[in-house]
Amino acid sequence: MAYSLLSSSDHLDNMPVLVPDLENGAQTSQDQQSSITEYKVFKRRYIGLVTLSLLNVICSWGWLSFAAISTETTTLFGFSSESPINWLSTTTLFAYIAMSPAVSYTLSRSNSVRPALFICGSLVTIGNWLRYIGTLKEIFPLLMVGQIFIGLAQPFALGSVGYFTDMWFTSSSRVTANSIASISNPLGGAIGQLVGPLMVGSDLSKIKDFMLVTAILASAISLLVLVTPGTPPIPPCPSALIPKLSLRTSIQRLVRSPLYIAIFIMFTIYVGLFNAYSTYINQIMAPYGYSSNNAGITGAILIGSGVVCCAIASPLIDKTHNFLLVIKIVLPIMSACYIALIFANTYSNQLVGPFLVSGVLGGVSFTLLPALLEWVQEQTSPVTPALSGAILWNGGNFLGAILIIILNEMKSGSNNSMRNAMILMAVLANVGMLPSWFLRNAVTNSRIDLDRTHSQSNQTETLRDSSDLESEPIIIERSSALAGYNEESHQSQTKTASESHDTTIDTTKDTKSSICTIEVVDEKKYPAVNAPSSPDCNLTVVDTTDEKQRPSSDSTFYLPSTNLTSTHTKT
């Protein structure tokens, strides 16, 4: 169960909350919209988050399956160069771009991620089994068709992330949720690059086993779509109720926004560079004498460090909402990393250089990714997240595909050195910093500001996530001013408790409602206390002015039911 306490002050109940207008983005009173007085976050949202994350893992795994075993795959199919194998990754990216408009349409029409995830699961399963048959029978065109199916599936998983977090999560957790699902995509690529060399080694016959394992995992993960929730029965926060613009209106607004165009250029360059580097790690290191295992470990470090840094940074961004600060810090570091990659690999086969530079590059890249994806939604709301995020990913994947083609043609020397290609990547990385100049004055976070305004105006706090299985005990501590509460003295004793606690209920001098701070009971410190018998209040209110004193049933304080109401729902 989750509980919400609401002050009975009339001036708060009637205060309008502003939400964007559907067509022109102007603010209108919530009195003109359907009135929502209660918001909940549901634990079942984590089922959807896990499903999204795993689908992104398996899609990216399929995309980069051959990146670290390109040499072995070339030998298996009898090719004279690795160019056909490189096209496996490139084709996947082009298929992603081709299917992306269907993702935005599906999400906008269905108002749920379930149809999109069902399509994703079906396509990725079919694609992986086609790849297995293609390697088993050594039919390269069939392998290529399987890759195309995986490319068609990928946008349904990756493009649904922002839409899902906007619908199911609050402003205090969206960045973290977005980062978990978004970084699952490159994480899957890292797993594919690490597992591939470990399973295959020098035995070409093991490639089909690698494809079989991947196909089985894809089939199992796709079944999770059957238990994935669609739309929450109660919105998690006011910003989740913002009416979204139509696809046509959203496109018109985005193409006219200098800020969005600047973000698009930055996102396109850095995602494109990351995709190209991830694809070519093995071929970048091979001319210097590094093995496929070395390349696989380098790819794993690239992603692993990113996961760690993202896990640390995302909750901090959720708490502080300092999106611009994060962007300004990581961009120069990222550009420096691409310069350092030119010199990281040496003929002495030392591993400190490629491991260190790839680790730092992964860390800053994964920190920037969710920050940009969430921040762009804050800046472009009420544009539908199904479109704003999809366009960004399209740009990144398109540039990545183009770079894969161009960089392959830039190989030089008898050993196919990619040093010239790395110089081009370093130049692009530094060019990518230039659009950040247009972001300097963007400080408004529309969804966050709306949630904050609503919370302050209505004095409403959601205490705990709603649960389908069990409820959690809740305690309300009355302030020391109410220790001797009585009808006559309450008028002069009422004061605000927010100076020492974040979660409070503040009343005015004209009401008799009690001022309380809200905390979750520590069951070890505070044993369960009987709830008040008042039918209008099913919350336990305990005097804990003296923290050393263990509360008991004698210390239960009964609030005047006419001045303080409590509501709760169970789903």
Side-chain angles (χ1 to χ4, degrees), residues 409-426:
E409 299 300 323
M410 295 182 69
K411 293 179 180 179
S412 61
S414 58
N415 60 351
N416 290 324
S417 172
M418 297 193 70
R419 181 179 177 85
N420 293 335
M422 297 306 298
I423 294 175
L424 174 61
M425 293 175 68

Side-chain angles (χ1 to χ4, degrees), residues 114-127:
R114 289 194 69 184
L117 298 188
F118 179 81
I119 296 173
C120 175
S122 302
L123 291 174
V124 76
T125 300
I126 295 172

Side-chain angles (χ1 to χ4, degrees), residues 171 320-321 445 447-457:
S171 296
T320 63
H321 300 133
N445 298 316
R447 297 182 304 174
I448 295 172
D449 292 342
L450 175 61
D451 291 341
R452 184 183 294 116
T453 300
H454 183 275
S455 177
Q456 292 173 349
S457 63

Side-chain angles (χ1 to χ4, degrees), residues 346-363:
T346 63
Y347 288 103
S348 63
N349 291 165
Q350 53 79 29
L351 294 173
V352 175
F355 285 3
L356 178 61
V357 177
S358 295
V360 176
L361 178 60

Side-chain angles (χ1 to χ4, degrees), residues 90-160:
T90 308
T91 302
T92 303
L93 295 177
F94 282 126
Y96 181 107
I97 297 169
M99 182 60 78
S100 188
V103 178
S104 299
Y105 178 81
T106 301
L107 292 173
S108 299
R109 293 284 294 180
S110 63
N111 196 34
S112 171
V113 297
R114 289 194 69 184
L117 298 188
F118 179 81
I119 296 173
C120 175
S122 302
L123 291 174
V124 76
T125 300
I126 295 172
N128 274 284
W129 284 109
L130 289 176
R131 294 198 317 165
Y132 168 65
I133 298 173
T135 53
L136 180 65
K137 303 295 184 180
E138 297 184 12
I139 305 175
F140 187 76
L142 189 58
L143 175 63
M144 181 68 76
V145 172
Q147 286 291 122
I148 293 175
F149 269 85
I150 293 175
L152 296 175
Q154 195 169 10
F156 285 98
L158 200 54
S160 299

Side-chain angles (χ1 to χ4, degrees), residues 176-196:
T176 301
N178 197 313
S179 67
I180 292 173
S182 296
I183 66 175
S184 296
N185 188 268
L187 177 61
I191 294 174
Q193 293 184 71
L194 183 62
V195 174

Side-chain angles (χ1 to χ4, degrees), residues 2-6 463 472-476 505 518 529-542 556-559 564-568:
Y3 296 85
S4 297
L5 299 182
L6 300 99
L463 303 180
E472 298 184 19
I474 294 178
I475 189 171
I476 298 183
I505 294 182
I518 304 169
V529 182
N530 294 329
S533 58
S534 170
D536 294 326
C537 185
N538 46 10
L539 296 173
T540 302
V541 183
V542 179
T556 301
F557 178 71
Y558 296 88
L559 293 175
L564 183 66
T565 62
S566 66
T567 61
H568 75 275

